[in-house]
Amino acid sequence: MTTIAVLADPPRDGLVATDLAATSPLTEAEAAEWYAAVLKDVCVAVDRSGGDLLVNYRPDDLLPDEHVTETASEAAVRAVAASALDDLGDVRFEPQVGSNMAARAGNSVTHLLREEGVVSAAVVEPTIPFLTRPIVDNAAMKLRRSEVVLGTSTRGRVYYAGFTDPIDFTDAFADPSLETLTARGRDEGHDVDFLPVQPVVETGSDLLDALPLLNARVDAERIVPVHTATVVDELGLRIDYDGAEPRLVRD
């Protein structure tokens, strides 16, 4: 059984999804709504899988001062998870430790594998709206045969990083993270396997990949990230194909 650490920030304006707000029609407040919706869908996918959900939140002392509020970071993240899941009884909430993403991910994975003795551990971020229970369970199966399993995305990024043995996590998520993590795994003599390509959403251009897939899955009545689809509908996001290049617009 894999423990999946979801690295989460409190969804506050100007703190989360800032690149998305800067490169799309979304305001910082709307980008925070998007982030919260994806966080909900990620938690649902992991909770419904055969893995264990660990919500690894960034505590107040690791947040920029301007984003520390009267509501504690843990409480804000718990509220998001509670709005998506029927029961938080089996969900763990623990603070992140580390000065950057690689350090926080590495500390989580290393602690789970070495201190808690879990068979496998993985990290994901709320940038992958199309994470589903089958993908999480497929990763767990692959981790029975390979020490490192990576979810591949566009432009050399990853949406899932799973391990049965730690690697050197120093700058391990440096671009292109897919190649960097693979190299670190191979440096340790590990076998590395991959999950099917899925779009992550970090910028406006990423939405050009994600929205057609989301709309097609809705039309085909296939599994969709419900909270993300709801926010897209509420925000009136769509792609305009009338010009020379497709572009994001608002209804």
Side-chain angles (χ1 to χ4, degrees), residues 25-27 30 232 234-238 248-251:
L26 300 181
T27 66
E30 291 166 340
V232 168
E234 291 174 348
L235 296 176
L237 271 178
R238 65 180 179 85
L248 290 168
V249 297
R250 304 282 296 275
D251 287 331

Side-chain angles (χ1 to χ4, degrees), residues 47-80:
D47 184 65
R48 290 178 177 174
S49 75
D52 291 328
L53 173 58
L54 166 61
V55 179
N56 215 193
Y57 63 90
R58 187 150 54 129
D60 290 327
D61 60 353
L62 292 182
L63 295 177
D65 291 343
E66 64 270 24
H67 295 296
V68 176
T69 71
E70 293 181 357
T71 302
S73 176
E74 179 182 1
V77 172
R78 276 183 177 271
V80 174

Side-chain angles (χ1 to χ4, degrees), residues 181-245:
L181 287 164
T182 298
R184 294 296 175 84
R186 296 299 294 161
D187 286 344
E188 299 292 336
H190 296 334
D191 289 332
V192 181
D193 203 350
F194 304 97
L195 298 170
V197 175
Q198 296 288 340
V200 297
V201 177
E202 297 174 333
T203 66
S205 62
D206 292 330
L207 284 172
L208 296 175
D209 296 324
L211 289 184
L213 176 58
L214 180 64
N215 293 334
R217 295 192 69 85
V218 170
D219 290 344
E221 298 182 352
R222 307 299 294 176
I223 296 173
V224 297
V226 174
H227 299 93
T228 303
T230 299
V231 164
V232 168
D233 182 64
E234 291 174 348
L235 296 176
L237 271 178
R238 65 180 179 85
I239 301 176
D240 182 358
Y241 293 96
D242 290 339
E245 297 288 339

Side-chain angles (χ1 to χ4, degrees), residues 97 100-111 123 166-167 169 173:
V97 177
N100 55 47
M101 192 276 179
R104 292 190 281 269
N107 286 332
S108 294
V109 169
T110 302
H111 173 79
V123 291
I167 62 171
F169 283 99
F173 288 83

Side-chain angles (χ1 to χ4, degrees), residues 76-130:
V77 172
R78 276 183 177 271
V80 174
S83 68
L85 304 175
D86 295 331
D87 183 8
L88 296 183
D90 293 328
V91 181
R92 294 170 56 186
F93 291 84
E94 294 184 359
Q96 298 175 15
V97 177
S99 58
N100 55 47
M101 192 276 179
R104 292 190 281 269
N107 286 332
S108 294
V109 169
T110 302
H111 173 79
L112 289 167
L113 293 173
R114 290 183 175 168
E115 304 301 325
E116 297 193 14
V118 303
V119 175
S120 55
V123 291
V124 299
E125 292 186 284
T127 57
I128 171 62
F130 298 102

